[in-house]
Amino acid sequence: MRYAVAASGQWVDEEEGRSRLPAGEAHAWEPGRNETVCGLSLSRSRLTRFPHVPWTDAFPESGGAADRVQRLCHRCASVAGRRGPDAKPPWRRVNPRP
């Protein structure tokens, strides 16, 4: 599944050719749907869609489009995936029942 970013704000990067980038609180969003992965309605929550920004670029450690992202939605991160130094390993059954 490819997730994009929906955020509470936006800013324009003049150095990189005037592209819109997310700011504020970032949520994972599946293009073609009208809600985030965590269930927020985009229009009611007044979130701006960024279909050109992948979800993994919203992580602060990625160095991508996360310059002004202040917070990542923890519910979206648990569903869409969170890769980084503070990420928990995926759940795995250690001793399955016979």
Coordinates of all heavy atoms in Angstrom, one line a residue:
M1 N 0.8 -1.2 0.0 CA 0.0 0.0 0.0 C 0.9 1.2 0.0 O 1.8 1.3 0.7 CB -0.9 0.0 1.2 CG -1.9 1.1 1.3 SD -3.2 1.0 0.1 CE -4.0 -0.5 0.4
R2 N 0.6 2.2 -0.9 CA 1.3 3.4 -0.9 C 0.5 4.5 -0.2 O -0.6 4.8 -0.7 CB 1.6 3.8 -2.4 CG 2.4 5.1 -2.5 CD 2.5 5.6 -3.9 NE 3.2 6.8 -4.0 CZ 2.6 8.0 -3.8 NH1 1.3 8.1 -3.4 NH2 3.3 9.1 -3.9
Y3 N 1.0 5.1 0.8 CA 0.4 6.2 1.5 C 1.0 7.5 1.2 O 2.2 7.6 1.1 CB 0.4 5.9 3.0 CG -0.4 4.7 3.5 CD1 0.3 3.5 3.8 CD2 -1.7 4.7 3.5 CE1 -0.4 2.4 4.2 CE2 -2.5 3.6 3.8 CZ -1.8 2.4 4.2 OH -2.5 1.3 4.6
A4 N 0.2 8.5 1.2 CA 0.7 9.9 1.0 C 0.5 10.7 2.3 O 0.0 10.1 3.3 CB 0.0 10.6 -0.2
V5 N 0.7 11.9 2.3 CA 0.6 12.8 3.5 C -0.6 13.7 3.4 O -0.8 14.3 2.3 CB 1.9 13.5 3.8 CG1 1.8 14.5 4.9 CG2 3.1 12.6 4.0
A6 N -1.3 13.9 4.5 CA -2.3 14.9 4.7 C -1.9 15.7 5.9 O -1.6 15.0 7.0 CB -3.7 14.3 4.8
A7 N -1.8 17.0 5.9 CA -1.3 17.7 7.0 C -2.2 18.9 7.3 O -3.0 19.4 6.5 CB 0.1 18.2 6.7
S8 N -2.0 19.4 8.6 CA -2.8 20.6 9.0 C -2.4 21.9 8.4 O -3.1 22.9 8.5 CB -2.8 20.6 10.6 OG -1.5 20.8 11.0
G9 N -1.2 22.0 7.9 CA -0.7 23.2 7.3 C 0.2 22.9 6.1 O 0.5 21.7 5.8
Q10 N 0.7 24.0 5.5 CA 1.5 23.8 4.3 C 2.5 25.0 4.2 O 2.2 26.0 4.8 CB 0.7 23.7 3.0 CG 0.0 25.0 2.6 CD -0.7 24.8 1.3 OE1 -0.6 23.8 0.7 NE2 -1.4 25.8 0.9
W11 N 3.6 24.8 3.5 CA 4.5 25.8 3.3 C 5.1 25.6 1.9 O 5.1 24.5 1.4 CB 5.6 25.9 4.4 CG 6.5 24.7 4.4 CD1 6.2 23.5 4.9 CD2 7.9 24.7 4.0 NE1 7.3 22.7 4.8 CE2 8.4 23.4 4.3 CE3 8.7 25.6 3.5 CZ2 9.6 23.0 4.0 CZ3 10.0 25.2 3.2 CH2 10.5 23.9 3.5
V12 N 5.7 26.6 1.3 CA 6.3 26.5 0.0 C 7.8 26.6 0.1 O 8.3 27.6 0.6 CB 5.7 27.7 -0.9 CG1 6.3 27.6 -2.3 CG2 4.2 27.6 -1.0
D13 N 8.4 25.6 -0.5 CA 9.9 25.6 -0.5 C 10.4 26.3 -1.7 O 10.3 25.8 -2.8 CB 10.4 24.1 -0.5 CG 11.9 24.0 -0.2 OD1 12.5 25.1 0.0 OD2 12.4 22.9 -0.3
E14 N 10.9 27.5 -1.5 CA 11.4 28.3 -2.6 C 12.7 27.8 -3.3 O 12.9 27.9 -4.5 CB 11.7 29.8 -2.1 CG 10.5 30.5 -1.6 CD 9.5 30.9 -2.7 OE1 9.9 31.0 -3.8 OE2 8.3 31.1 -2.3
E15 N 13.5 27.1 -2.5 CA 14.8 26.6 -3.0 C 14.6 25.4 -3.9 O 15.4 25.2 -4.8 CB 15.7 26.3 -1.8 CG 16.1 27.4 -0.9 CD 16.8 27.0 0.3 OE1 17.1 25.8 0.5 OE2 17.2 27.9 1.1
E16 N 13.7 24.6 -3.6 CA 13.5 23.3 -4.4 C 12.5 23.5 -5.5 O 11.9 22.5 -6.0 CB 13.0 22.2 -3.4 CG 14.0 21.9 -2.4 CD 15.3 21.2 -2.9 OE1 15.2 20.5 -3.9 OE2 16.3 21.5 -2.4
G17 N 12.2 24.7 -6.0 CA 11.4 24.9 -7.1 C 9.9 25.1 -6.8 O 9.0 24.7 -7.5
R18 N 9.6 25.8 -5.7 CA 8.3 26.2 -5.3 C 7.3 25.0 -5.2 O 6.3 25.0 -5.8 CB 7.7 27.2 -6.3 CG 8.5 28.5 -6.3 CD 7.8 29.6 -7.0 NE 6.4 29.8 -6.7 CZ 6.0 30.6 -5.7 NH1 6.9 31.2 -4.9 NH2 4.7 30.7 -5.4
S19 N 7.7 24.0 -4.4 CA 6.8 22.9 -4.2 C 6.1 23.0 -2.8 O 6.7 23.5 -1.9 CB 7.6 21.6 -4.3 OG 8.6 21.5 -3.3
R20 N 4.9 22.6 -2.8 CA 4.1 22.7 -1.5 C 4.6 21.5 -0.7 O 4.6 20.4 -1.2 CB 2.6 22.5 -1.8 CG 2.0 23.7 -2.4 CD 0.5 23.5 -2.6 NE 0.1 22.1 -2.9 CZ -0.7 21.3 -2.1 NH1 -1.1 21.8 -1.0 NH2 -1.0 20.1 -2.5
L21 N 4.8 21.7 0.6 CA 5.2 20.7 1.5 C 4.4 20.7 2.8 O 3.9 21.8 3.2 CB 6.7 20.8 1.9 CG 7.7 20.6 0.7 CD1 9.1 21.0 1.1 CD2 7.6 19.2 0.2
P22 N 4.2 19.6 3.5 CA 3.4 19.6 4.7 C 4.0 20.3 5.9 O 5.2 20.3 6.0 CB 3.2 18.1 5.0 CG 4.4 17.4 4.3 CD 4.7 18.3 3.2
A23 N 3.2 20.8 6.8 CA 3.6 21.4 8.0 C 2.6 21.1 9.1 O 1.4 20.7 8.8 CB 3.7 22.9 7.8
G24 N 3.0 21.3 10.3 CA 2.1 21.0 11.4 C 1.9 19.5 11.8 O 2.9 18.8 11.9
E25 N 0.7 19.1 11.9 CA 0.4 17.7 12.2 C 0.2 16.9 10.9 O -0.6 17.2 10.1 CB -0.8 17.5 13.1 CG -1.1 16.1 13.5 CD -2.2 16.0 14.5 OE1 -2.8 17.1 14.9 OE2 -2.6 14.9 14.9
A26 N 1.0 15.8 10.8 CA 0.9 15.0 9.5 C 0.2 13.7 9.8 O 0.4 13.0 10.8 CB 2.3 14.7 9.0
H27 N -0.6 13.3 8.8 CA -1.4 12.0 8.9 C -1.1 11.2 7.6 O -0.8 11.8 6.5 CB -2.9 12.3 8.9 CG -3.3 12.9 10.2 ND1 -3.8 12.2 11.3 CD2 -3.4 14.3 10.6 CE1 -4.1 13.1 12.3 NE2 -3.9 14.3 11.8
A28 N -1.2 9.9 7.7 CA -1.1 9.1 6.5 C -2.5 9.1 5.8 O -3.5 9.1 6.4 CB -0.7 7.7 6.9
W29 N -2.4 9.1 4.4 CA -3.6 9.3 3.6 C -3.4 8.4 2.4 O -2.4 8.4 1.8 CB -3.8 10.7 3.3 CG -4.8 11.0 2.2 CD1 -6.1 10.7 2.2 CD2 -4.5 11.5 0.9 NE1 -6.7 11.1 1.0 CE2 -5.7 11.6 0.2 CE3 -3.3 12.0 0.3 CZ2 -5.8 12.1 -1.1 CZ3 -3.4 12.5 -1.0 CH2 -4.6 12.5 -1.7
E30 N -4.5 7.6 2.1 CA -4.5 6.8 0.9 C -5.1 7.6 -0.3 O -6.3 8.0 -0.2 CB -5.2 5.5 1.1 CG -5.2 4.6 0.0 CD -5.9 3.3 0.3 OE1 -6.3 3.1 1.4 OE2 -6.2 2.6 -0.7
P31 N -4.4 8.0 -1.3 CA -5.0 8.8 -2.4 C -6.2 8.1 -3.0 O -6.3 6.9 -3.1 CB -3.8 8.8 -3.5 CG -2.6 8.7 -2.7 CD -2.9 7.7 -1.5
G32 N -7.2 8.9 -3.2 CA -8.5 8.4 -3.7 C -9.5 8.3 -2.6 O -10.7 8.0 -2.9
R33 N -9.1 8.4 -1.4 CA -10.1 8.4 -0.3 C -10.3 9.7 0.3 O -9.4 10.6 0.2 CB -9.6 7.4 0.8 CG -9.4 6.0 0.2 CD -9.4 4.9 1.1 NE -10.6 5.1 2.0 CZ -11.0 4.1 2.7 NH1 -10.5 2.9 2.6 NH2 -12.0 4.3 3.6
N34 N -11.3 9.9 1.1 CA -11.6 11.2 1.7 C -11.4 11.2 3.2 O -12.0 12.0 3.9 CB -13.1 11.6 1.4 CG -13.3 13.1 1.7 OD1 -12.4 13.9 1.6 ND2 -14.5 13.5 2.0
E35 N -10.6 10.3 3.6 CA -10.2 10.2 5.1 C -8.8 9.7 5.2 O -8.3 9.1 4.4 CB -11.2 9.3 5.8 CG -11.2 7.8 5.4 CD -12.2 7.0 6.1 OE1 -13.0 7.5 6.8 OE2 -12.1 5.8 5.9
T36 N -8.3 10.0 6.4 CA -6.9 9.5 6.7 C -7.0 8.1 7.1 O -8.1 7.5 7.3 CB -6.3 10.4 7.8 OG1 -7.1 10.2 9.0 CG2 -6.2 11.8 7.5
V37 N -5.8 7.5 7.3 CA -5.8 6.1 7.7 C -6.4 5.9 9.1 O -7.0 4.9 9.4 CB -4.3 5.6 7.7 CG1 -4.1 4.2 8.2 CG2 -3.8 5.7 6.3
C38 N -6.2 6.9 10.0 CA -6.8 6.8 11.3 C -8.2 7.2 11.4 O -8.9 7.1 12.5 CB -6.0 7.7 12.3 SG -6.1 9.5 12.0
G39 N -8.9 7.6 10.3 CA -10.3 7.8 10.3 C -10.8 9.2 10.3 O -12.0 9.4 10.3
L40 N -9.9 10.2 10.3 CA -10.3 11.6 10.2 C -10.8 11.9 8.8 O -10.1 11.6 7.8 CB -9.2 12.5 10.6 CG -8.7 12.5 12.1 CD1 -7.5 13.4 12.2 CD2 -9.8 12.9 13.0
S41 N -11.9 12.7 8.8 CA -12.3 13.2 7.5 C -11.5 14.4 7.1 O -11.2 15.3 7.9 CB -13.8 13.7 7.6 OG -14.2 14.4 6.5
L42 N -11.0 14.4 5.9 CA -10.1 15.4 5.4 C -10.8 16.8 5.4 O -10.2 17.8 5.8 CB -9.6 15.1 4.0 CG -8.6 13.9 3.9 CD1 -8.3 13.6 2.5 CD2 -7.4 14.1 4.7
S43 N -12.0 16.8 4.9 CA -12.7 18.1 4.8 C -13.1 18.7 6.2 O -12.9 19.9 6.5 CB -13.9 18.0 3.9 OG -14.8 17.1 4.4
R44 N -13.6 17.8 7.1 CA -14.0 18.3 8.4 C -12.8 18.7 9.3 O -12.9 19.5 10.1 CB -14.9 17.2 9.1 CG -16.2 17.1 8.5 CD -17.1 16.2 9.3 NE -18.4 16.1 8.6 CZ -19.4 15.4 9.1 NH1 -19.2 14.7 10.2 NH2 -20.5 15.4 8.4
S45 N -11.7 18.0 9.1 CA -10.5 18.2 9.9 C -9.7 19.4 9.3 O -8.7 19.7 9.9 CB -9.7 17.0 10.0 OG -10.4 16.0 10.6
R46 N -10.1 19.8 8.1 CA -9.3 20.9 7.4 C -7.9 20.5 7.1 O -7.0 21.3 7.4 CB -9.4 22.2 8.1 CG -10.8 22.7 8.2 CD -10.9 24.0 8.7 NE -12.3 24.4 8.8 CZ -12.7 25.6 9.2 NH1 -11.9 26.5 9.5 NH2 -14.0 25.9 9.2
L47 N -7.7 19.2 6.7 CA -6.4 18.8 6.3 C -6.1 18.9 4.9 O -7.0 18.8 4.0 CB -6.2 17.3 6.7 CG -6.3 16.9 8.2 CD1 -6.3 15.4 8.4 CD2 -5.2 17.6 9.0
T48 N -4.9 19.3 4.5 CA -4.5 19.5 3.1 C -3.8 18.3 2.6 O -3.0 17.7 3.3 CB -3.5 20.7 3.0 OG1 -4.1 21.9 3.7 CG2 -3.2 21.0 1.6
R49 N -4.2 17.9 1.4 CA -3.7 16.7 0.8 C -2.3 17.0 0.1 O -2.2 18.0 -0.6 CB -4.6 16.1 -0.2 CG -5.9 15.7 0.3 CD -6.9 15.4 -0.8 NE -8.2 15.0 -0.4 CZ -9.2 15.8 -0.3 NH1 -9.1 17.0 -0.7 NH2 -10.4 15.4 0.1
F50 N -1.4 16.1 0.2 CA -0.1 16.1 -0.5 C 0.1 14.8 -1.2 O 0.9 14.0 -0.7 CB 1.0 16.4 0.5 CG 0.9 17.8 1.2 CD1 0.2 17.9 2.4 CD2 1.3 18.9 0.6 CE1 0.1 19.1 3.1 CE2 1.2 20.1 1.3 CZ 0.6 20.2 2.5
P51 N -0.5 14.6 -2.4 CA -0.3 13.3 -3.0 C 1.1 13.1 -3.6 O 1.5 11.9 -3.8 CB -1.3 13.4 -4.2 CG -1.6 14.8 -4.4 CD -1.4 15.5 -3.1
H52 N 1.9 14.1 -3.7 CA 3.2 14.0 -4.2 C 4.3 13.7 -3.1 O 5.4 13.5 -3.4 CB 3.6 15.3 -5.0 CG 3.6 16.5 -4.2 ND1 2.4 17.1 -3.8 CD2 4.6 17.2 -3.6 CE1 2.7 18.2 -3.1 NE2 4.0 18.3 -2.9
V53 N 3.8 13.7 -1.9 CA 4.8 13.5 -0.8 C 4.4 12.1 -0.1 O 3.4 11.9 0.4 CB 4.6 14.6 0.3 CG1 5.5 14.3 1.5 CG2 4.9 15.9 -0.3
P54 N 5.4 11.1 -0.2 CA 5.1 9.8 0.4 C 5.1 9.9 1.9 O 5.8 10.8 2.5 CB 6.3 9.0 -0.1 CG 7.1 9.8 -1.1 CD 6.6 11.2 -1.0
W55 N 4.4 9.0 2.6 CA 4.3 9.0 4.0 C 5.7 8.9 4.7 O 6.0 9.5 5.7 CB 3.4 7.8 4.4 CG 3.4 7.5 5.9 CD1 3.8 6.4 6.5 CD2 2.9 8.4 7.0 NE1 3.6 6.5 7.8 CE2 3.1 7.7 8.1 CE3 2.4 9.7 7.0 CZ2 2.7 8.2 9.4 CZ3 2.0 10.2 8.2 CH2 2.2 9.5 9.4
T56 N 6.6 8.1 4.1 CA 7.9 7.9 4.7 C 8.7 9.2 4.7 O 9.7 9.4 5.5 CB 8.7 6.8 4.0 OG1 8.7 7.1 2.6 CG2 8.0 5.5 4.2
D57 N 8.4 10.2 3.8 CA 9.1 11.4 3.8 C 8.7 12.4 4.9 O 9.3 13.5 5.1 CB 9.0 12.1 2.4 CG 9.9 11.6 1.4 OD1 10.7 10.7 1.7 OD2 9.8 12.0 0.2
A58 N 7.6 12.1 5.6 CA 7.1 12.9 6.7 C 7.8 12.7 8.0 O 7.7 13.4 8.9 CB 5.6 12.7 6.8
F59 N 8.6 11.6 8.1 CA 9.4 11.3 9.3 C 10.5 12.3 9.5 O 11.2 12.6 8.5 CB 9.9 9.9 9.3 CG 8.9 8.8 9.2 CD1 9.2 7.7 8.5 CD2 7.6 9.0 9.7 CE1 8.2 6.7 8.3 CE2 6.7 8.0 9.6 CZ 7.0 6.8 8.9
P60 N 10.7 12.8 10.7 CA 11.8 13.8 10.9 C 13.1 13.3 10.5 O 14.0 14.0 10.0 CB 11.7 14.2 12.4 CG 10.3 13.8 12.7 CD 9.9 12.7 11.9
E61 N 13.4 12.0 10.8 CA 14.7 11.5 10.5 C 15.0 11.2 9.0 O 16.1 10.9 8.6 CB 15.0 10.2 11.3 CG 14.0 9.1 11.1 CD 12.8 9.2 11.9 OE1 12.6 10.1 12.7 OE2 11.9 8.2 11.8
S62 N 13.9 11.3 8.2 CA 14.1 11.0 6.8 C 14.8 12.2 6.1 O 15.4 11.9 5.0 CB 12.7 10.8 6.1 OG 12.0 12.0 6.0
G63 N 14.6 13.4 6.5 CA 15.3 14.5 5.9 C 14.6 14.9 4.6 O 15.0 15.8 3.9
G64 N 13.4 14.3 4.3 CA 12.7 14.7 3.1 C 11.9 15.9 3.2 O 12.4 17.0 3.4
A65 N 10.6 15.7 3.3 CA 9.6 16.9 3.3 C 9.2 17.2 4.8 O 8.2 17.8 5.0 CB 8.4 16.6 2.5
A66 N 10.0 16.8 5.7 CA 9.6 16.9 7.1 C 10.2 18.1 7.8 O 10.3 18.1 9.1 CB 10.0 15.6 7.9
D67 N 10.6 19.1 7.1 CA 11.3 20.2 7.8 C 10.4 20.9 8.8 O 10.8 21.3 9.8 CB 11.8 21.2 6.7 CG 12.9 20.7 5.9 OD1 13.6 19.7 6.4 OD2 13.2 21.2 4.8
R68 N 9.1 21.0 8.4 CA 8.2 21.8 9.3 C 7.1 20.9 9.8 O 6.1 21.4 10.4 CB 7.6 23.0 8.5 CG 8.7 23.9 8.1 CD 8.2 25.3 7.8 NE 9.4 26.1 7.3 CZ 9.2 27.2 6.7 NH1 8.0 27.6 6.4 NH2 10.3 27.9 6.3
V69 N 7.2 19.6 9.8 CA 6.2 18.7 10.4 C 6.6 18.7 11.9 O 7.7 18.4 12.3 CB 6.3 17.3 9.8 CG1 5.4 16.3 10.6 CG2 5.9 17.3 8.3
Q70 N 5.6 19.1 12.7 CA 5.8 19.1 14.1 C 5.4 17.9 14.8 O 6.0 17.5 15.9 CB 5.0 20.3 14.7 CG 5.5 21.6 14.2 CD 4.5 22.8 14.6 OE1 3.5 22.5 15.2 NE2 5.0 24.0 14.4
R71 N 4.4 17.2 14.3 CA 3.9 16.0 15.0 C 3.4 15.0 13.9 O 2.7 15.4 13.0 CB 2.8 16.3 15.9 CG 2.2 15.2 16.7 CD 1.1 15.7 17.7 NE 0.5 14.6 18.4 CZ -0.5 13.9 17.9 NH1 -0.9 14.1 16.7 NH2 -1.0 12.9 18.5
L72 N 3.7 13.7 14.1 CA 3.1 12.6 13.3 C 2.0 12.0 14.1 O 2.1 11.8 15.3 CB 4.2 11.6 13.0 CG 5.3 12.0 12.0 CD1 6.3 10.8 11.9 CD2 4.7 12.3 10.7
C73 N 0.9 11.7 13.5 CA -0.2 11.0 14.1 C 0.3 9.6 14.5 O 0.7 8.8 13.6 CB -1.4 10.9 13.2 SG -2.8 10.0 13.8
H74 N 0.2 9.2 15.8 CA 0.6 7.9 16.2 C -0.3 6.8 15.7 O 0.2 5.7 15.5 CB 0.8 7.9 17.7 CG -0.5 8.1 18.5 ND1 -1.0 9.3 18.7 CD2 -1.3 7.2 19.0 CE1 -2.2 9.1 19.4 NE2 -2.3 7.9 19.6
R75 N -1.6 7.1 15.5 CA -2.5 6.1 15.0 C -2.2 5.8 13.6 O -2.2 4.6 13.1 CB -3.9 6.5 15.2 CG -4.3 6.6 16.7 CD -5.8 7.0 16.8 NE -5.9 8.4 16.3 CZ -7.0 9.1 16.3 NH1 -8.2 8.5 16.6 NH2 -7.1 10.3 15.9
C76 N -1.9 6.8 12.8 CA -1.5 6.6 11.4 C -0.2 5.8 11.3 O 0.0 5.0 10.4 CB -1.4 7.9 10.6 SG -3.0 8.7 10.3
A77 N 0.8 6.2 12.2 CA 2.1 5.6 12.1 C 2.0 4.1 12.5 O 2.7 3.3 11.9 CB 3.0 6.3 13.1
S78 N 1.0 3.7 13.3 CA 0.9 2.3 13.7 C 0.3 1.5 12.6 O 0.6 0.3 12.4 CB 0.0 2.1 15.0 OG -1.3 2.5 14.7
V79 N -0.6 2.1 11.7 CA -1.2 1.4 10.6 C -0.3 1.4 9.4 O 0.0 0.4 8.8 CB -2.6 2.0 10.3 CG1 -3.1 1.4 9.0 CG2 -3.5 1.8 11.5
A80 N 0.2 2.6 9.0 CA 0.9 2.8 7.8 C 2.4 2.4 7.9 O 3.1 2.3 6.9 CB 0.8 4.2 7.3
G81 N 2.9 2.3 9.1 CA 4.3 1.9 9.3 C 5.1 3.0 9.8 O 4.9 4.2 9.4
R82 N 6.0 2.7 10.7 CA 6.9 3.7 11.2 C 8.3 3.1 11.2 O 8.6 2.2 11.9 CB 6.5 4.1 12.6 CG 7.5 4.9 13.3 CD 7.1 6.3 13.4 NE 8.0 7.1 14.2 CZ 8.7 8.1 13.8 NH1 8.5 8.5 12.6 NH2 9.4 8.8 14.6
R83 N 9.1 3.6 10.3 CA 10.5 3.1 10.3 C 11.4 4.2 10.8 O 11.4 5.3 10.4 CB 10.9 2.8 8.8 CG 10.0 1.6 8.3 CD 10.2 1.4 6.8 NE 9.4 0.4 6.3 CZ 8.1 0.7 5.9 NH1 7.6 1.9 6.0 NH2 7.4 -0.3 5.4
G84 N 12.3 3.8 11.7 CA 13.2 4.8 12.2 C 13.9 4.2 13.5 O 13.6 3.1 13.9
P85 N 14.8 5.0 14.1 CA 15.5 4.4 15.3 C 14.6 4.2 16.5 O 14.9 3.3 17.3 CB 16.5 5.5 15.6 CG 16.0 6.8 14.9 CD 15.2 6.3 13.8
D86 N 13.5 4.9 16.6 CA 12.6 4.7 17.8 C 11.4 3.8 17.5 O 10.5 3.6 18.3 CB 12.1 6.0 18.4 CG 11.4 6.8 17.3 OD1 11.5 6.5 16.1 OD2 10.6 7.7 17.8
A87 N 11.4 3.1 16.3 CA 10.3 2.3 15.9 C 10.4 0.9 16.6 O 11.5 0.4 16.8 CB 10.3 2.1 14.4
K88 N 9.2 0.4 17.0 CA 9.2 -0.9 17.6 C 9.2 -1.9 16.5 O 8.7 -1.7 15.4 CB 7.9 -1.0 18.4 CG 7.8 -0.1 19.6 CD 6.5 -0.3 20.3 CE 6.4 0.6 21.5 NZ 5.1 0.5 22.2
P89 N 9.8 -3.1 16.8 CA 9.8 -4.2 15.8 C 8.4 -4.7 15.6 O 7.5 -4.6 16.5 CB 10.7 -5.2 16.4 CG 10.7 -5.0 17.9 CD 10.5 -3.5 18.0
P90 N 8.0 -5.2 14.4 CA 6.7 -5.7 14.2 C 6.4 -6.8 15.1 O 7.2 -7.6 15.5 CB 6.7 -6.1 12.7 CG 8.1 -6.3 12.4 CD 8.9 -5.4 13.3
W91 N 5.1 -7.0 15.5 CA 4.6 -8.0 16.4 C 4.8 -9.4 15.7 O 4.6 -9.5 14.5 CB 3.2 -7.8 16.7 CG 2.7 -8.8 17.7 CD1 2.8 -8.8 19.0 CD2 2.0 -10.0 17.3 NE1 2.2 -9.9 19.5 CE2 1.7 -10.7 18.5 CE3 1.6 -10.6 16.1 CZ2 1.0 -11.9 18.6 CZ3 0.9 -11.9 16.2 CH2 0.6 -12.5 17.4
R92 N 5.3 -10.4 16.5 CA 5.5 -11.7 15.9 C 5.3 -12.7 17.0 O 5.7 -12.5 18.2 CB 7.0 -11.8 15.5 CG 7.3 -13.0 14.7 CD 8.8 -12.9 14.2 NE 9.7 -12.7 15.3 CZ 10.6 -13.5 15.7 NH1 10.9 -14.6 14.9 NH2 11.4 -13.3 16.7
R93 N 4.6 -13.8 16.7 CA 4.3 -14.8 17.6 C 5.6 -15.6 17.8 O 6.1 -16.1 16.9 CB 3.2 -15.7 17.1 CG 2.8 -16.8 18.2 CD 1.7 -17.7 17.7 NE 0.4 -16.9 17.4 CZ -0.5 -16.7 18.4 NH1 -0.3 -17.1 19.6 NH2 -1.5 -16.0 18.0
V94 N 6.0 -15.8 19.1 CA 7.2 -16.5 19.4 C 7.0 -18.0 19.6 O 7.8 -18.8 19.0 CB 7.9 -15.9 20.6 CG1 9.2 -16.6 21.0 CG2 8.2 -14.4 20.4
N95 N 6.0 -18.3 20.3 CA 5.8 -19.7 20.6 C 4.3 -20.1 20.3 O 3.5 -20.1 21.1 CB 6.0 -20.0 22.1 CG 6.1 -21.5 22.4 OD1 6.0 -22.3 21.5 ND2 6.1 -21.8 23.7
P96 N 4.1 -20.4 19.0 CA 2.7 -20.7 18.6 C 2.1 -22.0 19.2 O 2.9 -22.9 19.6 CB 2.8 -20.8 17.1 CG 4.2 -21.1 16.8 CD 5.0 -20.6 17.9
R97 N 0.8 -22.0 19.4 CA 0.2 -23.2 19.9 C 0.3 -24.3 18.9 O 0.3 -24.1 17.7 CB -1.3 -22.9 20.2 CG -1.4 -22.0 21.4 CD -2.9 -21.9 21.7 NE -3.3 -20.5 21.4 CZ -4.5 -20.1 21.4 NH1 -5.5 -21.0 21.6 NH2 -4.8 -18.9 21.2
P98 N 0.4 -25.6 19.4 CA 0.4 -26.7 18.5 C -0.8 -27.0 17.8 O -1.9 -26.6 18.1 CB 0.8 -27.9 19.4 CG 0.5 -27.5 20.8 CD 0.5 -26.0 20.8

